[in-house]
């Protein structure tokens, strides 16, 4: 009997707790109309600390490589002590930013609009930032950093998602993404791909070149049939994948041990691998590639707005921008950085300022139902459908 | 009660006792008088903790599973819907992942059982007292290393040109690479101590005199194991399987480090919380292992295994 009474009590308590919680289930979701007004009119003295959320390799304090350090100079200059949290995918960045624990974030195009719509970042008064006038004009006022004429951050730099291969194991050297799609069987079990729904766009870029009859005009604007074609391609690829990566360090390690020989990467991965003595090379395949154009944004709940503004200004300053761009392997946002890179040919290598080249890269953008390529007669698939498709691809 | 016998009878001349009686403490007197209050004082804190941490957290999870997320802004919208649960139960992808996770948990449990039984028997019944201590320490030793360290060590062991390939080369065996098999191997290694310890404790509780009696009565060794040792051991074995099975069912870290492309329930939850930012769906997926474990516990409860945990 006692145990029955106890069971009743537990059930009763659970029911009470559930009822109390059910009271939560009434409010609607947040409204998606951002307040478009930068309130800040001057940068005051720093608050003494700054928490940064960024891509790995964007905030280096010398702990990975003593020669690579642009955080300490910033701390000395501003007295803002930096704490850094890296993330592996844009989705992770959006989730972490929603906690309100971070002052600034380096957002790629597939995260920035979601952050703005979710009111997780605030408008930035660009006139307070000394280095903004120097930034390449083709990076300013773009769809991924500006909404209704309101600027939301400082352009950081841009680059392409490249194809990396082990030079001693993959011969002849690949020139096309077919190395990871149609010809993946040659290296079956040793192919790698980026572990995020946004990777579906890479398959779409490939199909644009090889299956023009699908009529894909923009890899981020896929209707149901185009998405299905991309998903099928990725399901074929899945048979040959050894590992999906979202942690670039783990990817590099797989290349170093030979568990992976070909796949998509960022230049920073190739740089780390080369530094470790792995025989790898990267290329921008003939089909073009997806890529990123990043923006430093300020959290809407930040308690350190002055340090945040100082960071945005600092990271676009010629010296810091050169150091980041060179370490990560991307084009700087500030042309003055080109004179300060260790490798004088850096900006040439990455086609900085080459607007025509920059246009060949399909920058990460969040797919939405209203087609980004301007089609009005069909509904495009949005990011939630991409997320479900991605789970299905991985099986 | 006993105290009242010391009260002088009313009207009797009071005798001053040599020892002054301590004054009764009001609180303890009150508690003494009301057993319900006593019980409340003892049980409120642990019960409150249980309700807050377990029941409320589980209820919150259950509730969240009925909400949805605005995929663009990433805000949870609290309109009621059963879509998430329906998807988890009916979508073939999640059915496959559930079955795969069950298979991995089952395989890990069986492998650990096969390894643990002879080891535990040796430690409990064969080894001398000194060796017994050393061997128990040796079994516990891996638990001192962090879970992550062990998983990454296996990542290196399983890599191309790693230890496993080197060992297997003379036999013509290949490393399984980063795969489902790799997950099973790694998890079997990591959870093995959790299987050995309860079984060792179970063997330890079987008195030697029972085994002697059994053979005095003419039982052959195998018959003794079958009819005497095994029935006494069943609760301990089930206790061990609860550990290995439930820990494997919820694992997501090992699957990410050595799993290659393997998706388990844990990794789906992790991806939906961390990457896809879809907390309601993650909650719906996480109810699957909870349901499985609850069912398993209900089944084994009848065997009395839970009493020996």
């Amino acid at each position: 009997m006692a145990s029955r009474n106890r069971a009743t009590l537990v059930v009763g308590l659970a029911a009470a707790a559930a009822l109390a919680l059910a009271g939560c289930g009434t409010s609607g979701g947040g409204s998606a109309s951002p307040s478009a007004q930068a309130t800040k009119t001057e940068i005051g003295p720093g608050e003494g600390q700054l928490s940064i959320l960024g891509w790995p390799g964007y905030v280096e304090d010398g702990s990975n490589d003593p020669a690579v350090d642009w955080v300490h100079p910033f701390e000395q200059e501003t007295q803002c002590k930096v704490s850094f949290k890296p993330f592996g995918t844009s989705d992770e960045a959006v989730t972490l930013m929603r906690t309100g624990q971070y002052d600034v974030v380096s957002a790629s195009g597939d995260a920035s609009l979601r952050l703005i719509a979710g009111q997780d970042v605030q408008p930035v008064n660009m006139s307070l930032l000394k280095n903004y006038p120097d930034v390449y004009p083709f990076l300013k006022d773009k769809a991924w950093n500006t909404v209704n004429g309101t600027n939301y951050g400082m352009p950081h730099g841009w680059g392409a998602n490249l194809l990396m291969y082990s030079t001693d194991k993959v011969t002849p050297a690949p020139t096309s993404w077919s190395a990871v799609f149609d010809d993946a069987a040659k290296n079956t079990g040793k192919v790698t791909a980026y572990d995020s729904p946004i990777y579906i766009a890479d398959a779409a870029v490939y199909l644009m070149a090889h299956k023009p009859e699908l009529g894909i005009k923009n890899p981020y604007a896929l209707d149901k049939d185009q998405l299905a074609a991309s998903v099928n391609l990725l399901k074929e690829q899945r048979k040959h994948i050894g590992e999906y990566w979202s942690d670039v360090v783990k990817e590099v390690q797989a290349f170093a041990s030979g568990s992976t020989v070909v796949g998509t990467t960022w230049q920073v991965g190739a740089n780390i691998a080369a530094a470790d003595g792995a025989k790898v090379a990267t290329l921008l395949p003939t089909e073009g590639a997806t890529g990123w154009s990043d923006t430093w944004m300020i959290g809407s709940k930040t308690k350190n707005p002055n340090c945040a503004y100082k960071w945005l200004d600092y990271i676009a300053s010629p010296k810091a921008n050169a150091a980041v761009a060179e370490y990560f392997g991307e084009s700087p946002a500030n042309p003055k950085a080109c004179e300060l890179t260790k490798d004088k040919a850096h900006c040439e290598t990455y086609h900085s300022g080459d607007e025509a080249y920059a246009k060949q890269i399909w920058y990460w953008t969040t797919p939405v139902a209203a087609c980004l390529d301007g089609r009005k007669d069909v509904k495009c698939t949005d990011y939630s459908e991409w997320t479900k498709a991605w789970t299905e691809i991985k099986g | 009660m006993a105290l009242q016998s010391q009260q002088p009878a009313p009207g009797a001349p009071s005798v001053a006792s040599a020892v002054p009686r301590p004054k009764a403490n009001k609180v303890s007197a009150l508690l003494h008088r009301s057993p319900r209050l006593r019980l409340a004082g003892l049980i409120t804190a642990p019960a409150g903790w249980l309700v807050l941490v377990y029941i409320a957290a589980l209820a919150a999870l259950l509730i969240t599973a009925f909400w949805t997320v605005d995929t663009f802004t990433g805000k949870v919208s609290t309109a009621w819907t059963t879509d998430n649960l329906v998807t988890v139960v009916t979508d073939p992808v999640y059915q496959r992942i559930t079955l795969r996770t069950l298979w991995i948990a089952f395989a890990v449990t069986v492998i650990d059982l096969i390894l643990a039984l002879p080891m535990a028997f040796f430690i409990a019944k064969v080894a001398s007292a000194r060796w017994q201590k050393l061997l128990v320490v040796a079994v516990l030793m891996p638990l001192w290393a962090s879970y992550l360290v062990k998983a990454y060590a296996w990542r290196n062991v399983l890599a191309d040109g790693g230890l496993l390939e080197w060992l297997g080369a003379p036999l013509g065996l290949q490393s399984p690479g980063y795969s489902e098999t790799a997950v099973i191997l790694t998890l079997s290694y990591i959870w093995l101590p959790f299987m050995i310890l309860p079984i060792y404790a179970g063997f330890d509780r079987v008195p030697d005199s029972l085994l002697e009696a059994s053979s005095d009565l003419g039982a052959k060794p195998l018959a003794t194991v079958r009819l005497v040792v095994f029935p006494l051991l069943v609760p301990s074995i089930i206790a061990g399987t609860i550990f290995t099975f439930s820990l494997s069912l919820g694992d997501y870290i090992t699957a990410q480090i050595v799993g290659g492309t393997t998706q388990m329930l844990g990794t789906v939850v992790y991806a939906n919380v961390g990457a896809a930012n879809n907390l309601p769906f993650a909650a719906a997926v996480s109810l699957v292992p909870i349901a499985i474990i609850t069912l398993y516990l209900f089944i084994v409860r009848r065997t009395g295994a839970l009493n020996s945990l």
Side-chain angles (χ1 to χ4, degrees), chain A residues 227-248:
Chain A
L227 180 71
S230 306
V231 167
N232 284 337
L233 182 65
L234 289 165
K235 279 185 177 164
E236 280 303 307
Q237 183 200 46
R238 163 73 177 79
K239 297 170 188 156
H240 309 294
I241 294 274
E243 196 172 27
Y244 287 103
W245 68 273
S246 62
D247 174 348
V248 72

Side-chain angles (χ1 to χ4, degrees), chain A residues 19-40:
Chain A
L19 278 174
L21 277 159
C24 314
T26 47
S27 66
S31 68
S33 58
S35 59
Q37 206 48 57
T39 45
K40 211 161 171 61

